[in-house]
Each structure stands twice: as C-alpha cells, then as structure tokens.
Amino acid sequence: MQIEDLDQRLERLTAALAHLLAGEFDAIPITPSVVDDLLGRVEQTVQHLVMDIKTVTLANRDKEAVLLLQQQHLEQQVRELAARAET
C-alpha cells in the first residue's frame, strides 16, 4: 500500500509533535478531515491528543488563576490579622 504525499504528511506530523512538546498548541493546525489510511489514523489520533491536552491545559490555567486569587486574598487576611494583633 502506497501512502500519498508521505513526505509532506510526515513533516506535518513531525511539526505537530514538536509544537505539542513545546506547548505551542495554537501553532498546530487541526485538519477537519484526514486521509483514510494507516498514517491518516495516526494523524487523527495526534489531533485528538492535541485537543485533549489543550483542553486540560486551559482548564489548569483557569484553576491556577483562581488559586492565585485565593492565595492573594488569604495573604491580605493574614496581613490584616497581623495588623490587628499588633494594636
């Protein structure tokens, strides 16, 4: 079985994996459809992986932002309590 555009598709896949490892999710193009062959299944799996990792990463960033705000709030409360204790 011969795969059409093998070199180009492998380069695209290699670039997508490099961007994935670097956390550069927006640089990874999502192809709406892939060729139905063995390499196409690998490409589709990588696309699903990218979308899943991107979703988890964005959710973690949101949680981190909430935790940072809570930490700042708690630090402010500690300062206020310390100021009250000094008086």
Side-chain angles (χ1 to χ4, degrees):
M1 174 194 289
Q2 187 169 343
I3 296 176
E4 293 182 29
D5 302 329
L6 179 62
D7 290 339
Q8 182 183 22
R9 290 170 65 191
L10 286 175
E11 285 178 23
R12 211 172 34 237
L13 187 57
T14 301
L17 292 172
H19 288 301
L20 180 63
L21 288 172
E24 301 166 345
F25 307 114
D26 293 333
I28 303 170
I30 301 298
T31 308
S33 62
V34 294
V35 178
D36 188 20
D37 58 17
L38 291 175
L39 184 57
R41 289 184 211 128
V42 172
E43 291 171 311
Q44 187 175 29
T45 300
V46 169
Q47 287 186 16
H48 287 268
L49 180 65
V50 167
M51 289 185 283
D52 289 347
I53 291 174
K54 187 174 182 177
T55 299
V56 169
T57 299
L58 292 174
N60 284 343
R61 286 181 188 165
D62 289 345
K63 289 176 186 177
E64 184 179 340
V66 168
L67 289 173
L68 183 59
L69 286 173
Q70 290 176 341
Q71 178 185 4
Q72 292 170 348
H73 181 69
L74 289 172
E75 288 172 352
Q76 178 64 30
Q77 287 180 330
V78 168
R79 285 192 294 273
E80 290 172 4
L81 290 172
R84 281 190 223 164
E86 289 178 4
T87 57

